Amino acid sequence: MIYTITLNPAIDRLLFLEKELTKRKTNRTSKVTYDIGGKGTHGSYAMTRLGVSNLALGFAGERNFAAFEEILMQKEISHRFIQIPKGLTRESIVVIEPDNQGSTMLTEPSFSVGEAEKQQLLLFLKKYLTEEDIVLIAGSLPENFQINDLAELIQAAKEKQAFVACDLSGEALLLAAQLGVDFIKPNEFELTELLSEKTGTVEEALEQLSREITCIAASKGEKGSICYYEGKQYQVLAPKVKEINDTGAGDCFVGAFLAEFSKCKDIKEALKTGSACAASKVQYEDSSYFDPKEADILKQQVKIIEL
Amino acid sequence: MIYTITLNPAIDRLLFLEKELTKRKTNRTSKVTYDIGGKGTHGSYAMTRLGVSNLALGFAGERNFAAFEEILMQKEISHRFIQIPKGLTRESIVVIEPDNQGSTMLTEPSFSVGEAEKQQLLLFLKKYLTEEDIVLIAGSLPENFQINDLAELIQAAKEKQAFVACDLSGEALLLAAQLGVDFIKPNEFELTELLSEKTGTVEEALEQLSREITCIAASKGEKGSICYYEGKQYQVLAPKVKEINDTGAGDCFVGAFLAEFSKCKDIKEALKTGSACAASKVQYEDSSYFDPKEADILKQQVKIIEL
């Protein structure tokens, strides 16, 4: 089973403006749609669309739980979120201007997580996780969920010998690397930061890091991405597509990659599927939608070069 | 009794930004608060704060009715909204930048009103209105509530010989003037438009209009406001205060004016109360809050000049 953990989910409210956004004026929207926000849930969505069974875990506010759950149900995401009493799942307001002029994001503060809810999540992992399982911990940390709480969560999953994947950033990513999880997805800047903690040349530092972490998928922006897996390096060249919106492409990659990896344990196949699904995703306005059939065709165009 | 009718209410979501709003970036908010939106409900709020009994009527979406009602309850507004099945009360997102740099508004499309709900509202007026009552119809019209629906509503109130006040704009304001309601509040531009339908000089046109409409409170921007009432003209000079946010000042004026007028039927007193409450309102960040005690003091500083 694959479990995704979204500690700080959001409800994305997409406002489609009639005209360009004008500051300090009234801007009329022609359409409003809702999407789920939070990297873990996006991962679950990608897995679900690929037909790979998974369960989305995490915290969600009690006050707007019905609205949150409605979107999960629409997206057919199996879930078991722990409700934060009196909490409100934050909304991320995405203001979309006409003619692909770009989007402006307004993010709200998160709910505050109590000790009881933290224990509930830990208890769930301790009870149900097995060494056959994959756990994806993704996204930001909500208020009152400290770095040591995250450490406890990762340790609990590691103790059960599950495959622990982390799509985190900043301090949380450093912690995941220190604890030696099985998968991380740093960007160029984060990779440099991770390596700065190591000694020797860049190559030696990388060699050292990849001995501690089974799989490192490092995105290098325009230059594509590099994957370090079991002592080997792979360059991933994504297919060229007409990009409409790249928001959520990374989440789509991670979800699809883990879905494929859970089935075949073949790193090249998993990288191809992740890359192809992400390439399908960027062609849509939506921040999560992609077409698995289109991805199947795009998969043939993904190039994996062993370095 | 005073009834306010808000045909197209909103939930105002106030997002207080940490930094200046930057387009096409992620903007973090430090605080989120909720307020009621819609001119009629703001009128009811002002009346309620002045201790004048009133009932807020109108339409509201069924899907987020609980959230809408919670704000009404917090503001102690007596209400009886007709629920639109499967409808969602629109949100107006007010993005507030730090240090009073201004606010940007994002408005959503409204729900669509069905025939059954229109009839319910008409039935209520036909059943409960008396000639002792004041009805305030304020704000925009929702989808599928046409100008002839508004005409029917105004006619129903007029047939019961209630005092009909309208805070409307555009085509709806023109209709209200044509039907000869008892109170309108045009701005400078709207007044010119209303008079353009009359013949003769501006003075003659105004004379003609004020014979059809008991009370015209015309705001003239910086120059204060002018009131035409029973053949007389009054200039209203508001007290000078430190303005923080003038959103909702007009709604506050109308609510407070009608509250006072319902008690004493004295136009000068009513204008003073309306002007003083609005002067208190603009000193607060909120789009509806004002301090009745402060307004009591400010009232002494309002000047009414009979022209």
Side-chain angles (χ1 to χ4, degrees):
Chain A
M1 183 64 155
I2 310 181
Y3 297 98
T4 66
I5 301 180
T6 311
L7 300 163
N8 192 17
I11 294 173
D12 284 354
R13 180 191 290 242
L14 286 74
L15 302 180
F16 295 85
L17 292 192
E18 286 178 355
K19 293 175 190 167
E20 197 184 329
L21 175 63
T22 314
K23 282 175 70 170
R24 286 149 214 178
K25 294 282 174 203
T26 293
N27 298 268
R28 292 164 59 101
T29 59
S30 54
K31 193 175 73 171
V32 184
T33 64
Y34 295 87
D35 197 355
I36 209 76
K39 288 175 170 295
T41 55
H42 281 188
S44 268
Y45 174 72
M47 292 166 194
T48 305
R49 277 193 70 78
L50 293 172
V52 173
S53 158
N54 71 93
L55 186 65
L57 305 173
F59 304 119
E62 179 196 53
R63 279 160 59 201
N64 54 350
F65 192 77
F68 178 70
E69 199 174 35
E70 197 183 312
I71 310 171
L72 288 172
M73 304 285 268
Q74 275 168 4
K75 303 208 141 219
E76 300 178 338
I77 298 174
S78 301
H79 58 277
R80 194 181 183 286
F81 276 82
I82 293 158
Q83 292 189 40
I84 305 292
K86 293 181 189 165
L88 196 72
T89 297
R90 68 202 168 103
E91 277 200 14
S92 293
I93 291 155
V94 187
V95 184
I96 298 161
E97 298 176 72
D99 310 320
N100 299 315
Q101 285 178 82
S103 64
T104 303
M105 184 105 127
L106 301 155
T107 61
E108 296 183 351
S110 75
F111 45 64
S112 178
V113 182
E115 290 308 315
E117 293 90 63
K118 291 178 196 173
Q119 289 308 317
Q120 254 182 282
L121 183 57
L122 274 174
L123 211 67
F124 182 93
L125 297 188
K126 286 175 182 169
K127 195 167 170 187
Y128 295 108
L129 271 195
T130 71
E131 59 181 16
E132 305 288 310
D133 295 334
I134 292 177
V135 179
L136 166 64
I137 306 173
S140 60
L141 306 186
E143 205 184 306
N144 202 38
F145 195 92
Q146 316 293 350
I147 201 80
N148 58 312
D149 294 320
L150 178 66
E152 227 178 319
L153 204 66
I154 293 174
Q155 293 290 18
K158 277 177 67 80
E159 273 163 29
K160 292 293 192 144
Q161 292 181 289
F163 182 96
V164 183
C166 289
D167 188 359
L168 303 165
S169 59
E171 201 188 358
L173 171 63
L174 293 181
L175 172 80
Q178 276 158 18
L179 294 178
V181 298
D182 299 291
F183 173 92
I184 56 170
K185 191 183 81 62
N187 60 29
E188 225 168 344
F189 169 77
E190 287 165 341
L191 186 64
T192 312
E193 214 178 27
L194 284 171
L195 296 180
S196 75
E197 300 215 326
K198 307 286 172 193
T199 52
T201 64
V202 173
E203 289 306 304
E204 284 166 355
L206 201 48
E207 168 65 23
Q208 216 180 319
L209 188 68
S210 67
R211 256 182 286 153
E212 293 156 16
I213 295 163
T214 321
C215 183
I216 306 169
S219 55
K220 297 204 155 194
E222 295 288 305
K223 284 173 270 174
S225 61
I226 298 284
C227 178
Y228 306 89
Y229 180 74
E230 292 189 340
K232 287 182 182 160
Q233 280 188 38
Y234 303 91
Q235 185 176 13
V236 184
L237 297 169
K240 288 210 179 357
V241 291
K242 190 169 176 263
E243 190 179 307
I244 300 283
N245 177 13
D246 74 343
T247 310
D251 305 342
C252 180
F253 171 86
V254 173
F257 170 87
L258 291 176
E260 186 69 45
F261 190 73
S262 76
K263 287 195 292 183
C264 65
K265 307 287 179 205
D266 179 329
I267 189 71
K268 285 188 185 175
E269 276 302 301
L271 287 171
K272 275 187 185 172
T273 300
S275 185
C277 291
S280 168
K281 198 264 121 219
V282 300
Q283 296 177 82
Y284 299 92
E285 220 173 32
D286 196 286
S287 58
S288 54
Y289 181 82
F290 68 98
D291 180 350
K293 280 184 189 159
E294 187 177 54
D296 250 357
I297 299 163
L298 287 166
K299 199 174 163 183
Q300 313 308 319
Q301 299 167 36
V302 182
K303 282 204 182 70
I304 310 281
I305 302 162
E306 204 178 313
L307 301 174
Chain B
M1 186 62 155
I2 311 181
Y3 297 97
T4 66
I5 301 179
T6 311
L7 299 164
N8 192 17
I11 294 174
D12 284 353
R13 179 190 292 242
L14 286 74
L15 302 180
F16 294 85
L17 292 193
E18 286 178 356
K19 295 175 188 165
E20 197 184 328
L21 176 62
T22 313
K23 284 174 67 169
R24 287 149 212 178
K25 293 282 174 203
T26 294
N27 297 267
R28 291 163 59 101
T29 60
S30 54
K31 195 175 70 171
V32 184
T33 64
Y34 294 87
D35 196 355
I36 209 77
K39 288 176 169 294
T41 55
H42 281 187
S44 267
Y45 174 72
M47 293 167 192
T48 305
R49 278 193 69 79
L50 293 171
V52 173
S53 159
N54 71 92
L55 186 64
L57 305 173
F59 303 119
E62 179 196 54
R63 277 160 62 200
N64 55 349
F65 193 76
F68 178 69
E69 199 173 34
E70 197 183 311
I71 311 172
L72 288 171
M73 304 287 266
Q74 274 167 6
K75 303 209 140 217
E76 299 176 340
I77 298 173
S78 300
H79 57 277
R80 196 180 181 288
F81 277 82
I82 293 159
Q83 292 189 41
I84 305 292
K86 294 182 189 165
L88 196 72
T89 297
R90 68 202 168 105
E91 277 200 14
S92 293
I93 291 155
V94 188
V95 184
I96 298 162
E97 297 177 72
D99 310 320
N100 299 316
Q101 286 179 80
S103 65
T104 303
M105 185 105 125
L106 300 156
T107 62
E108 295 183 351
S110 74
F111 44 64
S112 178
V113 182
E115 290 308 315
E117 294 89 63
K118 292 179 196 172
Q119 289 306 319
Q120 254 182 284
L121 183 58
L122 274 173
L123 211 67
F124 183 93
L125 297 187
K126 286 175 182 169
K127 194 167 172 188
Y128 295 108
L129 272 196
T130 71
E131 58 181 17
E132 305 287 309
D133 295 334
I134 292 177
V135 180
L136 167 64
I137 305 172
S140 60
L141 306 186
E143 205 185 293
N144 201 37
F145 194 92
Q146 316 293 350
I147 201 80
N148 59 313
D149 295 319
L150 178 66
E152 229 179 319
L153 205 65
I154 293 174
Q155 293 289 20
K158 277 176 70 80
E159 272 163 29
K160 291 293 193 143
Q161 292 181 289
F163 182 96
V164 182
C166 289
D167 189 0
L168 302 166
S169 59
E171 201 188 358
L173 171 62
L174 293 180
L175 173 79
Q178 277 159 16
L179 294 178
V181 298
D182 299 291
F183 173 92
I184 55 170
K185 192 181 81 60
N187 60 27
E188 226 170 340
F189 169 76
E190 288 165 340
L191 187 63
T192 312
E193 214 177 29
L194 284 171
L195 296 180
S196 75
E197 300 216 326
K198 307 286 173 194
T199 52
T201 66
V202 174
E203 287 308 303
E204 283 166 355
L206 201 49
E207 168 65 21
Q208 215 180 319
L209 188 68
S210 68
R211 256 182 285 153
E212 293 156 16
I213 295 162
T214 321
C215 183
I216 306 168
S219 55
K220 297 203 154 195
E222 294 287 305
K223 286 172 266 175
S225 62
I226 299 282
C227 178
Y228 306 89
Y229 179 73
E230 292 188 340
K232 287 181 182 162
Q233 278 187 38
Y234 303 90
Q235 185 174 16
V236 185
L237 297 169
K240 287 210 179 357
V241 292
K242 188 168 177 268
E243 190 178 307
I244 299 285
N245 177 12
D246 73 343
T247 310
D251 305 341
C252 181
F253 171 87
V254 173
F257 169 87
L258 291 175
E260 186 68 44
F261 190 73
S262 76
K263 286 194 294 184
C264 67
K265 308 286 178 205
D266 180 328
I267 189 71
K268 285 188 185 176
E269 276 302 300
L271 287 170
K272 275 187 185 173
T273 300
S275 185
C277 291
S280 169
K281 198 266 121 215
V282 300
Q283 296 175 81
Y284 299 92
E285 218 173 34
D286 197 287
S287 58
S288 54
Y289 181 82
F290 68 100
D291 180 351
K293 281 184 186 158
E294 189 178 54
D296 251 357
I297 298 162
L298 287 167
K299 198 174 163 181
Q300 313 307 316
Q301 298 167 37
V302 182
K303 282 205 182 69
I304 309 282
I305 303 162
E306 206 178 310
L307 301 175

